[in-house]
Amino acid sequence: MEKPGLSTLPPWQERILVQAREALAGGRMGHAMILSGPAMLGKRTVAERLARHLLGAAGEARARHLLDAGTHPDLHVVGLVPNKEGTRLRTEIVIEQIRELSGQLSLTPQYGDIQVAIVEPADALNRAACNALLKTLEEPQPGRYLWLVTAHPMRLPATIRSRCQRLEFRLPPRAEAEQWLLGQGHDAAAVSEALDAARGHPGLADAWLQGGGMVLRREVGADLGKLARGDASVIETARSWTADEHADLRLRHAADLVLAKARGLTDPPRTRKLAEWFTEANRTRELLRTTVRADLAVAELLLAWRDQYAAANEPTTATRTNAGGRR
């Protein structure tokens, strides 16, 4: 958990945190809440700051020390955990985790009279876990707060959504995002390029600027160009794109670059073809989360891209006739 005073929240996070605190102070916040909005906007950070606001007042210095250490007994965080072999994280939050959480919330708080539970990513709850959570939501206890953090609230069952208040995170104004990114030490030109690529999302732009995501984007654009010209192998490019953990990001960049290209065209059939490829690229991203052979799925996508360009550049019948002389 983030320690107080070590980091100032971005302005969009600060605004929504103030909103939540005012709701608490005014008695307008219920026991269950969904914090939703695009990934990487700070939903988990705001949830943790709000938990600190509630729990830090109980026990004062001792409670704050426990919060700093991440060991406060009245703060419960549920998320993805390693599988039985410890080789990777599970892809779901399972019923045993929710049953354990419900048991913890039924106990008397150790400091003060408040307990806070944060579930993130809440959209990873499987069906059995959702059913178990629903029982907890239907039988709220005083002083218990349950916050579900998700970028995909519609993946939660309607029965859960209907029992929770909503705290919605939205992209900040462009100028505010630019100013914050400049404050992170990024170059002005790089900030503008990254924000354009991230469609105004400051958290995503910052991650790409820090982690080489913009370099990867330019490489993807170059690869698409080579494929269109027939200067690169579909199979080799697909293997390269899926050889590390950045396959999903490469496909995201590819889809965005093609969509931007489609927006600049005035040829309706060509625009429609590019829009279809954009959709297919995002479908392939979903496929990569399954057991499908990643390189084969991406190869099929890139083959469609290459063939689409070949068809677009193929001479018409009239052109071929004129090139060979009049008949």
Side-chain angles (χ1 to χ4, degrees), residues 2-325:
E2 197 172 17
K3 296 182 182 181
L6 293 184
S7 177
T8 302
L9 292 180
W12 62 89
Q13 293 179 21
E14 187 64 41
R15 279 195 300 273
I16 204 161
L17 178 60
V18 169
Q19 174 189 338
R21 285 177 173 175
E22 289 175 349
L24 279 168
R28 300 188 305 275
M29 183 176 288
H31 74 288
M33 180 170 62
I34 296 175
L35 291 82
S36 63
M40 302 180 71
L41 274 185
K43 298 183 294 295
R44 171 68 175 268
T45 298
V46 169
E48 291 177 343
R49 287 292 183 96
L50 194 57
R52 177 179 292 276
H53 174 71
L54 281 167
L55 299 173
E60 295 300 332
R62 174 62 175 163
R64 289 194 295 271
H65 174 75
L66 291 170
L67 287 165
D68 290 346
T71 56
H72 197 295
D74 296 325
L75 175 60
H76 315 290
V77 179
V78 177
L80 299 175
V81 297
N83 60 11
K84 292 180 179 179
E85 296 76 24
T87 55
R88 58 182 175 83
L89 289 179
R90 288 178 173 174
T91 58
E92 295 181 326
I93 295 174
V94 297
I95 188 171
E96 290 79 12
Q97 293 174 269
I98 300 304
R99 285 174 173 168
E100 181 181 358
L101 174 64
S102 299
Q104 291 168 331
L105 292 176
S106 69
L107 301 175
T108 301
Q110 295 191 35
Y111 291 87
D113 54 3
I114 291 174
Q115 289 194 74
V116 175
I118 299 173
V119 180
E120 192 260 346
D123 51 276
L125 288 158
N126 66 21
R127 180 175 297 183
C130 284
N131 290 337
L133 185 67
L134 188 58
K135 294 180 181 179
T136 300
L137 291 173
E138 290 172 338
E139 301 172 359
Q141 299 183 57
R144 303 324 193 255
Y145 293 93
L146 176 60
W147 299 333
L148 308 179
V149 180
T150 175
H152 307 285
M154 297 309 294
R155 293 180 184 175
L156 290 168
T159 49
I160 287 180
R161 297 199 308 271
S162 65
R163 288 166 171 78
C164 300
Q165 290 178 283
R166 182 74 64 87
L167 193 60
E168 187 75 26
F169 287 65
R170 295 183 175 87
L171 296 181
R174 171 83 180 210
E176 183 175 275
E178 286 180 342
Q179 193 61 37
W180 179 77
L181 285 166
L182 290 172
Q184 305 308 301
H186 300 303
D187 174 76
V191 162
S192 181
E193 180 190 13
L195 268 181
D196 287 342
R199 302 180 193 176
H201 191 316
L204 195 55
D206 182 49
W208 288 352
L209 287 169
Q210 290 194 43
M214 292 306 295
V215 173
L216 197 70
R217 186 181 182 88
R218 287 187 282 272
E219 291 174 352
V220 165
D223 286 344
L224 291 176
K226 291 175 184 177
L227 289 167
R229 296 189 301 271
D231 294 338
S233 160
V234 166
I235 297 299
E236 290 304 317
T237 303
R239 287 174 179 167
S240 173
W241 280 23
T242 57
D244 56 27
E245 70 276 15
H246 300 306
D248 180 80
L249 182 54
R250 286 189 180 91
L251 290 181
R252 174 175 183 153
H253 283 320
D256 285 350
L257 289 167
V258 168
L259 184 62
K261 186 177 183 66
R263 287 172 179 155
L265 295 178
T266 56
D267 177 12
R270 179 75 176 129
T271 301
R272 185 171 60 255
K273 286 290 187 182
L274 289 174
E276 290 171 356
W277 195 89
F278 168 84
T279 300
E280 190 62 23
N282 283 317
R283 189 186 75 85
T284 305
R285 289 178 65 195
E286 292 297 324
L287 279 177
L288 296 189
R289 298 183 176 91
T290 70
T291 56
V292 72
R293 271 275 301 273
D295 58 333
L296 295 182
V298 173
E300 182 178 353
L301 177 73
L302 296 181
L303 182 63
W305 169 258
R306 188 196 66 183
D307 291 349
Q308 184 182 125
Y309 258 91
N313 295 326
E314 184 176 292
T316 62
T317 301
T319 301
R320 288 197 298 269
T321 299
N322 291 335

